[in-house]
DNA sequence: ATTTGACGCTAACGTTACGTCATAGCCTAC
DNA sequence: GTAGGCTATGACGTAACGTTAGCGTCAAAT
């Protein structure tokens, strides 16, 4: 029967020797024999097991889970893979959102929509807007996409103007907050509404940090 | 001027106190003041900087890169974002491939195409096939997609038959390898050709491990 | 028989971006 | 003055190895 030392097996399977050491260490793939000198020797069974390990690893399954899959015949593989699939899909969604955001950012930078003249100011609306878009979408569904297109075709001066307005609104909000005004007060609510409208035009992006928003109010 | 202690700032920005400690530690976000008791106090500027940090972090940019972006005005942000975008796109591609593979695997498992009767055998072709599909695609372009459809509509018995043939072929290859035959010999080449054809029908998937293939020969 | 060079071993730190204690000082309100 | 809440600094844990470092083994060539 064939026997493979670490290097051989590593090359056969396309992994590093370190990986085999590691898999041995965590008990995921134990060599069939240890020579008197301590050398690891693997047989066919181990080669096949390694193939399976690599298969699941390729699917981004954690090594611990692979252990379970391979060692526990009762393991509900289908279920595990289905939830794994969900994970992958949401990862994909997230990445798609990121790509869109990055592309938009690149666009803005390329068009030098100042944004850098006052770095302090520039960073804020990006993040804030990022954080509020989803809320905006809920309140004025359908508007966001429109606002985005508008923004993309806007020239520098209009943009500058918008930015000024946004900044003014932001500063009012900040002063109200500093004054310790009740977030539920009408004045605050009004400014917030204006703020949302600016956000809609301005950037059109967000997470779900209503909490942070309230924190500021 | 407003001042925020760690907890305040953390809640405002939606991050943990530990994160602020960490950002201070790596010099990404330093408090404007340290009280005599060692307390960190952040001002408005730090809040804004944190917003920027969070914005880039949201885009999966490494903290080190964020440091560069924010601290080096010469930093080529557009270029960085463009290469970042490429990274995201290839990540996305990879995930899409993974999802497809996972779905196919689930399909096979659900249809109980045995695959588990002999676990050792079951895992092998998956990984091997995974590893060889690209090669197959190069050699018989257009065939792979067809083979996949065929496989998906195949009933259990046909599949079983296919699997038997594949196994036999595999064992021949293994014995030839064990006999130390020259991988360039015609006999080996022939079996390999058969092998490829099986792979085409069998699974239709792969990486680029021609090396591993040759290693076996 | 010895040298050489390839290969093997273990131990242990480095990586990323924090989470999670543990221990102890500080601050404010009652 | 004391309880409760906030803060600080370590320091270990995480996932999956990569990367030295220091040292033993083996097979072939001399």
């Amino acid at each position: 029967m064939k026997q493979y030392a670490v290097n051989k097996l590593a090359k056969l399977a396309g992994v590093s020797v370190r990986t085999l050491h590691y898999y041995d260490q965590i008990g995921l793939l134990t060599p069939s024999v240890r020579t008197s000198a301590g050398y690891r020797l693997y047989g066919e069974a181990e080669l096949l097991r390694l193939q399976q390990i690599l298969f699941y690893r390729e699917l981004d399954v954690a090594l611990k889970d692979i252990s379970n899959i391979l060692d526990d015949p009762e393991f509900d593989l289908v279920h595990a893979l289905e939830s794994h699939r969900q994970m992958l899909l949401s990862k994909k969604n997230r990445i798609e959102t990121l790509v869109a955001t990055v592309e938009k950012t690149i666009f803005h930078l390329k068009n030098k929509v100042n944004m850098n003249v006052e770095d302090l100011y520039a960073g804020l609306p990006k993040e804030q807007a990022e954080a509020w878009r989803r809320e905006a979408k809920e309140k004025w569904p359908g508007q966001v996409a429109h606002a985005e297109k508008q923004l993309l075709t806007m020239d520098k001066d209009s943009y500058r103007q918008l930015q000024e307005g946004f900044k003014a609104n932001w500063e009012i909000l900040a002063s109200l907050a500093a004054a310790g005004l009740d977030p539920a007060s009408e004045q605050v609510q009004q400014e917030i509404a204006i703020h949302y409208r600016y956000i809609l035009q301005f950037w059109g992006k967000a997470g779900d940090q209503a909490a942070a928003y309230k924190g500021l109010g």
Side-chain angles (χ1 to χ4, degrees), chain A residues 53-136:
Chain A
I53 292 170
L54 295 180
F55 173 69
Y56 291 113
R57 191 185 68 166
E58 194 59 27
L59 304 185
D60 266 3
V61 178
L63 296 186
K64 268 184 190 170
D65 294 340
I66 297 180
S67 262
N68 291 332
I69 292 171
L70 297 184
D71 295 334
D72 179 4
E74 300 297 301
F75 190 87
D76 187 348
L77 182 51
V78 171
H79 183 68
L81 285 179
E82 271 168 352
S83 70
H84 188 64
R85 173 171 168 275
Q86 279 308 313
M87 271 190 34
L88 289 173
L89 286 178
S90 52
K91 263 195 191 180
K92 189 187 146 197
N93 272 332
R94 176 177 152 71
I95 287 180
E96 277 168 354
T97 305
L98 292 184
V99 168
T101 307
V102 168
E103 280 171 352
K104 197 171 299 170
T105 305
I106 290 174
F107 178 89
H108 283 299
L109 287 175
K110 274 191 176 163
N111 287 273
K112 283 257 199 279
V113 191
N114 77 7
M115 275 281 184
N116 289 324
V117 178
E118 296 160 288
D119 249 30
L120 290 181
Y121 178 61
L124 175 65
K126 281 189 206 165
E127 163 59 23
Q128 297 291 20
E130 260 297 328
W132 297 327
R133 182 204 203 196
R134 218 164 290 155
E135 273 191 280

Side-chain angles (χ1 to χ4, degrees), chain A residues 13-24:
Chain A
V15 303
S16 72
V17 171
R18 177 65 175 109
T19 297
L20 294 179
H21 282 169
Y22 182 63
Y23 288 176
D24 185 13

